[in-house]
Amino acid sequence: MPLKTPFRQYLGQLQLAGASVPPGLQDLLVSLTNTCVTLSDEVAQGALIGILGSAGTGNVQGEVQQKLDVIANDLLIAGVQSCQSLAGIASEEIEDPLPVGKGVGDYLLLFDPLDGSSNIDVNVSIGTIFSILKKPNPNAPLTTADFLQAGRTQVAAGYVVYGPQTTLAISLGEGVDLFTLDAVSGEFLLIKQGVQISESTREFAINMSNMRHWAAPVKRYVDECLAGSGGVRQKDFNMRWIASMVADVHRVLSRGGVFMYPWDQRDPKKPGKLRLMYEANPMGFLVEQAGGAVINGVDTILDLQPQGLHERVSVMLGSKEEVNLLRQYHAAT
Ligand code: AHG
Ligand code: MN
Ligand code: MN
């Protein structure tokens, strides 16, 4: 498809080319991404429109909400209300699923409305992560159980990163394509099709301040990266940590690398920090579609059967060689 094809036309052309992008899914994706354009404009104005700082409230997970967490959540919910094909919404910021209209329709939408909350007030990249599932029984009343599907069943997943450019990454199950927001037309324009993550890399991403709390396989892996060309890996590694999963994963999609937010001993009963259904699964879907891998240490994340909407999971994703090594180190313990 020609570069700079607007997102709406791209969806229509995919459908014409034989991909399964029914009109109801197109409508949902266009409404969702249009809302992200509005959100991008608000993010860009920051303090000028009073959107920075804490909201003074907590969410379902006991985390302090920033004003922008609440604004993004409200905007996204309002932005998809007119989609006839959408039955319900699940969000990081709300405990139970929200029916759309009568709660009937073909699709379910899950999102992390604002990822990277700790970066909002310091003008570092943040984003929105989304996942779309089919509703198992479109005409039955909406239930939480409808959402509890393994990541592999996603019909679409993606993110929008609000950085130096506003970029949309999306997969409909046939590769990953990238779009950049054109400020003039207010539309996402195609910039790359068929993103591929290199199999090998010299770059890893992890919050090193948690090192003393990690499990032995993760510690071993990172120690070996740090040992550089004189160690068993026989190459020097670089490290990056943006603390916005969207921005870290965008870097992995762009130039390879491995991203980890593993289980650690700070709160041993928690499987991890990141949420399975609206962080790890959509990002994992993109990473696998781009030729990378995604595990919780032992298992492939997209095969996990979710037990709850807000379930947490240990995450290791990116370049295959590194993820395979992490899997091997976990299997050896
Ligand atoms: P959210 O802002 O949606 O709560 O997610 C933040 C997540 C993720 O984006 C990032 O990778 C991680 O938290 C950063 O955590 P640390 O501050 O512990 O490094
Ligand atoms: Mn997040
Ligand atoms: Mn969030």
Side-chain angles (χ1 to χ4, degrees):
M1 211 176 293
L3 291 182
K4 298 198 180 174
T5 299
F7 184 60
R8 185 193 288 267
Q9 275 91 308
Y10 156 91
L11 292 173
Q13 288 187 31
L14 279 188
Q15 171 80 341
L16 287 176
S20 177
V21 204
L25 181 56
Q26 292 188 36
D27 180 42
L28 172 56
L29 287 168
V30 167
S31 302
L32 179 66
T33 54
N34 281 345
T35 311
C36 291
V37 173
T38 306
L39 187 51
S40 175
D41 291 342
E42 298 205 2
V43 166
Q45 293 183 73
L48 298 178
I49 55 169
I51 58 168
L52 304 186
S54 167
T57 49
N59 69 8
V60 47
Q61 351 236 347
E63 296 161 341
V64 175
Q65 288 176 307
Q66 301 299 304
K67 283 185 197 164
L68 210 51
D69 288 321
V70 178
I71 291 167
N73 188 53
D74 293 349
L75 263 181
L76 288 165
I77 291 171
V80 293
Q81 286 303 311
S82 64
C83 295
Q84 304 281 322
S85 60
L86 183 62
I89 299 170
S91 162
E92 178 190 0
E93 307 301 337
I94 42 178
E95 183 151 17
D96 297 314
L98 222 56
V100 172
K102 294 198 164 76
V104 297
D106 288 334
Y107 299 105
L108 304 171
L109 172 65
L110 301 91
F111 51 70
D112 174 354
L114 204 292
D115 178 67
S117 302
S118 72
N119 283 323
I120 297 169
D121 288 357
V122 291
N123 196 12
V124 172
S125 295
I126 51 180
T128 298
I129 306 171
F130 61 89
S131 162
I132 297 175
L133 297 166
K134 282 213 118 175
K135 185 166 184 282
N137 186 345
N139 296 316
L142 186 77
T143 66
T144 301
D146 293 342
F147 289 82
L148 303 182
Q149 304 179 40
R152 204 163 292 294
T153 64
Q154 291 170 101
V155 292
Y159 63 78
V160 174
V161 58
Y162 312 109
Q165 300 102 46
T166 294
T167 301
L168 163 68
I170 188 161
S171 178
L172 295 151
E174 297 193 24
V176 178
D177 298 336
L178 297 180
F179 297 78
T180 294
L181 177 60
D182 171 32
V184 178
S185 63
E187 289 193 277
F188 282 107
L189 307 182
L190 183 67
I191 56 158
K192 186 164 187 167
Q193 274 194 290
V195 174
Q196 280 293 316
I197 299 175
S198 54
E199 284 204 10
S200 61
T201 181
R202 291 165 177 263
E203 196 160 67
F204 68 95
I206 192 165
N207 184 339
M208 292 288 288
S209 70
N210 297 322
M211 188 171 214
R212 68 192 181 285
H213 306 296
W214 295 338
V218 175
K219 176 116 179 18
R220 174 183 176 191
Y221 173 80
V222 174
D223 278 345
E224 290 178 0
C225 291
L226 296 177
S229 53
V232 289
R233 299 299 309 273
Q234 299 184 321
K235 58 181 180 180
D236 292 328
F237 278 78
N238 185 28
M239 197 212 77
R240 287 287 184 272
W241 184 250
I242 301 171
S244 293
M245 187 192 200
V246 272
D248 280 309
V249 171
H250 188 64
R251 185 189 58 255
V252 170
L253 282 176
S254 305
R255 68 175 187 207
V258 57
F259 166 91
M260 294 161 276
Y261 209 119
W263 169 91
D264 67 50
Q265 284 168 19
R266 282 173 298 170
D267 194 349
K269 287 210 187 86
K270 258 195 207 169
K273 175 176 182 183
L274 299 176
R275 277 57 57 107
L276 174 63
M277 301 222 60
Y278 41 80
E279 290 180 319
N281 273 345
M283 291 314 210
F285 192 75
L286 291 171
V287 166
E288 277 202 5
Q289 285 290 324
V294 55
I295 59 169
N296 63 0
V298 180
D299 300 310
T300 297
I301 284 188
L302 296 186
D303 293 327
L304 299 176
Q305 172 57 48
Q307 305 298 322
L309 268 189
H310 302 286
E311 176 176 347
R312 294 175 191 260
V313 66
S314 174
V315 178
M316 297 158 209
L317 62 78
S319 293
K320 255 187 180 155
E321 277 181 14
E322 303 304 308
V323 176
N324 286 342
L325 196 57
L326 279 157
R327 197 195 285 265
Q328 200 182 305
Y329 289 177
H330 281 81
T333 53

